[in-house]
Amino acid sequence: MSESHRNKSQEKNHNSKVASELNNLIQIISGTSSLIENIWEGRPGSEKYFEMLRASIERAEQVTAQLVAQAGGTNRKRLLPSDLEQRFDEALIAGAPNQRKHSILVVDDEPMALELLHGVLSDAGYEVAVAQSGFESLDLFRRDTQAFDLILTDLSMPLMDGEETFERLRQMSPTVNVVLMAGFVDSGRLEKMMNNGLSGFVGKPFAPVEILAVVTSVISAADQKEGTSGIAAAV
Amino acid sequence: MTSAPANAFAQLCQNRLFEGIGAKVLERIRPDVNIMQLKRGDVVFKEGDLGDSLYLVGEGSIKISKQGRGGRQEVLDYIQTGNFFGEVALLGGQPHSAMASAAEPTVLGAVKEETFQHILELAPSRLHMNFLRLITERMRSVNSHFITEIMRSERLSLVGSMANSIIHDLKNPICIVRCCSDLIASETNDLRLRELTSMLDGAVDGMLAMTQELLDYARGSTQLNKQLISVWGMLDELNQQSLRLLPGKNIHFVKHIRYDGNLEIDRARFVRMLSSLIKNSREAMVGGGILTITTDLVQDQVVLRISDTGVGIPPEILPRLFEPFMTHGKSSGTGLGLAIGRSVVEAHGGKISLSSVYGSGTTIDIRLPKPRE
């Protein structure tokens, strides 16, 4: 490998880390600001500050998206198996269904991100458990592999990333539904994970409605599958 | 025991006891020497057995050990090729005061008392001299071993008395610090001050825990609060305490998890001990390296292996590494890390061992009984 080539690849690697970290932060900032906005009862006219906030977040998103593209990351905002796309659209319009309590395990090394997702998902009626590392999620999952309808994991975590966590979860139970979140993921890597049974992907930063629609469509598809196989078994 | 090789007797004739004694003389006792071929671990005699023979080591080596405190066999000496043992019981007419077993495949020649008398008559002055010289040598070596042991236990009891007085002396100032910090916290609404006082509390707790650990070690008793925790749960705890520091030190973390079931451990104590082992590894890899954690199940035992690619440990220090106050190349620390490690692992009914290649890395193996579930 030539010197300049190596420098380039190092730079790419560095950029992908920066992009991922930026997207994580934007996620937290946009999440908290929309939560604040919901409960804000400030002076009349103060809404314009939220507009400014939203606009700057959007600009930060655009800049980071360029960085992601330069470093060779996927430009997708989300990825679902093709048969789930329609469900996603329906869920986006309908909002989260609330017939049966479904439980979700969220895995992220960033406590603020966990806090936000916990809020969003439990407000929508889901039972939510959190794990602050891949290790912890495997420990929780191992105790009862039937306890969670879906596991939502971040990709970039130290010592055991989301990809390894996903693989080890699948080893414990091949039917587990895992959705990946990432501020940066290499397109080839994402494709490989989808081929290995990943249930879906959401790019950070995402809006609450978006993550809810993904979660809902994956869980409802799994429910239906379970239902039909149950009928088949009964027949 | 298998049949003796043809040259076994020739090997025995090379024994230091027979130095200067002609082959012709030795040939006369040949029929009376019982040649034994031992596998590693075969027992020649046990502590308390009656002694009726003197044993010559033709090849291999024999371990002399004695039951020590806590039922562990403590090695007193190794008898190498060309030496002999069993003379005290033979001449003193007493039961053996220690156990002898083969440390490796070994060829022995057993000489009964009558035969020994017979050689004494055949080559009087020579054999007497040899015998006396070798016994004196043996005494000197046992003596120095004994002195080292005493020094070791001296240091241990020193830890005991030291820890007791340290704890006693520390308790007062710690109480004062704690009280002051509580007072400050209750007197102020300043968030920064509150944060500082909670840091103070944390530090005080850490100090107490460390002193407690020292005391635990000195007492030699460890009260365990065992619970079931999966390998993942343990790694999670370990991740919070020490693994997360690795990437920042340019250390690559590799895991081979072949067993991810439960362990029955005192969570806090065990993980703290592992953390201190990992800290050692980290400090041994100054410029970065690879830390590997392997878990496996081998014959109903959970094996936990931590290995690093650090500087390794010089061979001359290896045998004493589990002793208290043995530090190698460290400026900080109590020198109790591995000693505590051993006491914690043994309190869990496990075993800890260490191997190291100087210059290329160290591996620690911990074996624990697999919990019955």
Side-chain angles (χ1 to χ4, degrees):
Chain A
M1 211 187 275
S2 75
E3 191 66 24
S4 72
H5 196 114
R6 188 179 307 135
N7 282 345
K8 270 228 175 85
S9 89
Q10 264 176 8
E11 196 180 310
K12 252 190 172 176
N13 189 24
H14 178 72
N15 283 352
S16 69
K17 277 192 186 134
V18 173
S20 163
E21 189 56 28
L22 278 174
N23 275 330
N24 283 339
L25 293 172
I26 294 170
Q27 175 75 55
I28 292 162
I29 296 169
S30 72
T32 28
S33 72
S34 62
L35 282 174
I36 295 172
E37 197 174 355
N38 285 341
I39 52 169
W40 179 256
E41 289 170 3
R43 277 203 312 263
S46 56
E47 300 82 32
K48 68 167 181 268
Y49 297 119
F50 281 107
E51 263 162 47
M52 283 160 68
L53 197 54
R54 274 198 299 273
S56 353
I57 290 168
E58 210 168 292
R59 249 155 69 189
E61 276 182 42
Q62 283 163 6
V63 176
T64 316
Q66 284 173 19
L67 202 59
V68 168
Q70 271 173 22
T74 182
N75 54 2
R76 288 175 167 278
K77 288 299 291 168
R78 67 165 194 282
L79 185 59
L80 286 168
S82 47
D83 53 319
L84 255 67
E85 278 296 338
Q86 200 193 333
R87 273 178 199 276
F88 173 84
D89 294 336
E90 286 163 12
L92 205 54
I93 298 159
N98 218 344
Q99 313 112 343
R100 170 163 92 83
K101 274 267 185 188
H102 285 98
S103 82
I104 300 177
L105 174 63
V106 188
V107 193
D108 200 314
D109 61 315
E110 174 54 66
M112 292 186 283
L114 280 184
E115 177 87 42
L116 282 168
L117 272 169
H118 185 276
V120 168
L121 295 170
S122 52
D123 282 352
Y126 288 106
E127 191 115 18
V128 185
V130 295
Q132 224 185 314
S133 70
F135 302 107
E136 192 181 356
S137 72
L138 290 169
D139 182 38
L140 290 173
F141 188 68
R142 201 190 153 275
R143 288 182 210 172
D144 180 3
T145 53
Q146 303 302 311
F148 306 106
D149 298 288
L150 183 135
I151 295 173
L152 185 59
T153 179
D154 185 32
L155 177 62
S156 115
M157 296 185 287
L159 302 177
M160 195 193 296
D161 63 17
E163 183 175 2
E164 187 181 342
T165 305
F166 159 67
E167 277 163 8
R168 293 194 186 271
L169 287 166
R170 295 282 291 192
Q171 270 170 26
M172 285 186 203
S173 161
T175 54
V176 62
N177 290 305
V178 181
V179 169
L180 183 79
M181 319 176 267
F184 178 96
V185 58
D186 191 84
S187 345
R189 191 179 183 195
L190 180 59
E191 199 179 317
K192 189 184 115 198
M193 289 176 73
M194 289 299 282
N195 289 338
N196 288 341
L198 188 71
S199 303
F201 159 77
V202 200
K204 284 181 174 182
F206 46 76
V209 285
E210 199 174 358
I211 192 77
L212 280 173
V214 166
V215 162
T216 306
S217 53
V218 171
I219 290 181
S220 71
D223 265 2
Q224 197 180 44
K225 214 177 188 178
E226 201 177 291
T228 49
S229 68
I231 291 163
V235 171
Chain B
M1 269 175 238
T2 50
S3 68
N7 65 341
F9 188 74
Q11 280 176 340
L12 294 174
C13 290
Q14 300 297 314
N15 201 286
R16 296 180 64 194
L17 185 63
F18 298 146
E19 225 168 73
I21 299 177
K24 262 190 200 154
V25 176
L26 293 172
E27 198 56 41
R28 290 175 62 177
I29 57 151
R30 182 173 192 146
D32 300 324
V33 176
N34 178 21
I35 294 179
M36 303 157 75
Q37 184 106 11
L38 305 179
K39 293 192 301 292
R40 183 189 145 92
D42 281 352
V43 174
V44 185
F45 51 74
K46 289 200 289 288
E47 190 172 339
D49 283 357
L50 278 175
D52 63 353
S53 297
L54 175 82
Y55 300 89
L56 312 167
V57 183
E59 191 184 316
S61 66
I62 292 289
K63 181 169 78 179
I64 307 292
S65 60
K66 205 170 162 59
Q67 189 120 345
R69 278 166 303 159
R72 193 190 312 152
Q73 282 289 325
E74 285 184 21
V75 178
L76 300 179
D77 203 2
Y78 284 94
I79 312 290
Q80 308 289 354
T81 305
N83 271 309
F84 60 90
F85 61 98
E87 72 286 350
V88 181
L90 179 74
L91 298 178
Q94 303 262 330
H96 286 292
S97 56
M99 181 172 110
S101 60
E104 58 186 296
T106 298
V107 177
L108 285 186
V111 178
K112 289 244 186 310
E113 192 181 351
E114 313 86 80
T115 319
F116 186 65
Q117 294 291 353
H118 191 196
I119 323 172
L120 277 180
E121 285 159 20
L122 289 173
S125 60
R126 197 70 231 184
L127 193 71
H128 279 113
M129 274 307 291
N130 285 351
F131 193 69
L132 200 61
R133 200 181 67 235
L134 294 170
I135 292 289
T136 319
E137 239 174 61
R138 178 84 44 83
M139 274 175 69
R140 196 179 301 134
S141 124
V142 168
N143 242 351
S144 85
H145 184 84
F146 191 58
I147 288 170
T148 332
E149 268 305 302
I150 285 190
M151 278 174 63
R152 185 179 112 114
S153 58
E154 282 273 291
R155 274 187 297 178
L156 280 177
S157 61
L158 194 66
V159 185
S161 52
M162 244 170 58
N164 276 320
S165 67
I166 287 176
I167 290 213
H168 187 259
D169 290 346
L170 267 179
K171 265 189 180 153
N172 287 331
I174 285 179
C175 278
I176 295 172
V177 173
R178 162 80 35 86
C179 287
C180 290
S181 135
D182 285 353
L183 271 174
I184 296 171
S186 65
E187 294 277 304
T188 180
N189 287 322
D190 188 329
L191 281 178
R192 214 181 118 66
L193 265 181
R194 291 202 160 196
E195 199 181 309
L196 287 173
T197 52
S198 81
M199 269 172 67
L200 211 54
D201 284 348
V204 168
D205 288 344
M207 272 170 75
L208 276 177
M210 266 176 68
T211 10
Q212 191 56 46
E213 194 153 281
L214 197 65
L215 191 67
D216 282 349
Y217 179 78
R219 280 183 182 147
S221 71
T222 39
Q223 291 232 326
L224 295 181
N225 175 23
K226 286 204 269 190
Q227 51 177 302
L228 288 176
I229 168 175
S230 82
V231 164
W232 295 117
M234 181 197 74
L235 284 171
D236 178 44
E237 196 101 347
L238 205 54
N239 179 37
Q240 293 171 36
Q241 287 195 19
S242 61
L243 293 178
R244 62 189 175 82
L245 299 172
L246 297 178
K249 307 272 178 193
N250 204 14
I251 294 169
H252 189 58
F253 178 58
V254 176
K255 46 196 144 359
H256 299 298
I257 309 299
R258 301 193 190 104
Y259 171 77
D260 75 346
N262 282 338
L263 299 165
E264 197 176 9
I265 51 176
D266 183 320
R267 196 180 177 119
R269 200 180 274 280
F270 198 82
V271 172
R272 190 161 62 226
M273 182 271 298
L274 290 180
S275 278
S276 103
L277 298 180
I278 288 170
K279 184 163 170 268
N280 287 347
S281 286
R282 215 171 58 219
E283 286 168 357
M285 296 186 283
V286 183
I290 301 168
L291 183 93
T292 309
I293 289 189
T294 309
T295 63
D296 210 343
L297 193 63
V298 181
Q299 293 162 354
D300 260 18
Q301 283 200 310
V302 182
V303 179
L304 205 67
R305 171 173 294 174
I306 301 174
S307 57
D308 65 52
T309 57
V311 292
I313 296 156
E316 64 270 21
I317 297 183
L318 271 177
R320 299 172 55 208
L321 216 58
F322 285 99
E323 289 179 21
F325 301 127
M326 263 316 293
T327 58
H328 162 58
K330 291 212 301 190
S331 49
S332 64
T334 53
L336 284 170
L338 279 174
I340 289 173
R342 181 158 91 176
S343 85
V344 170
V345 171
E346 285 178 356
H348 282 85
K351 282 209 161 76
I352 185 169
S353 62
L354 181 148
S355 63
S356 184
V357 178
Y358 192 34
S360 64
T362 301
T363 296
I364 292 176
D365 270 8
I366 294 171
R367 284 165 186 270
L368 293 177
K370 181 181 183 292
R372 262 178 271 163
E373 286 171 70

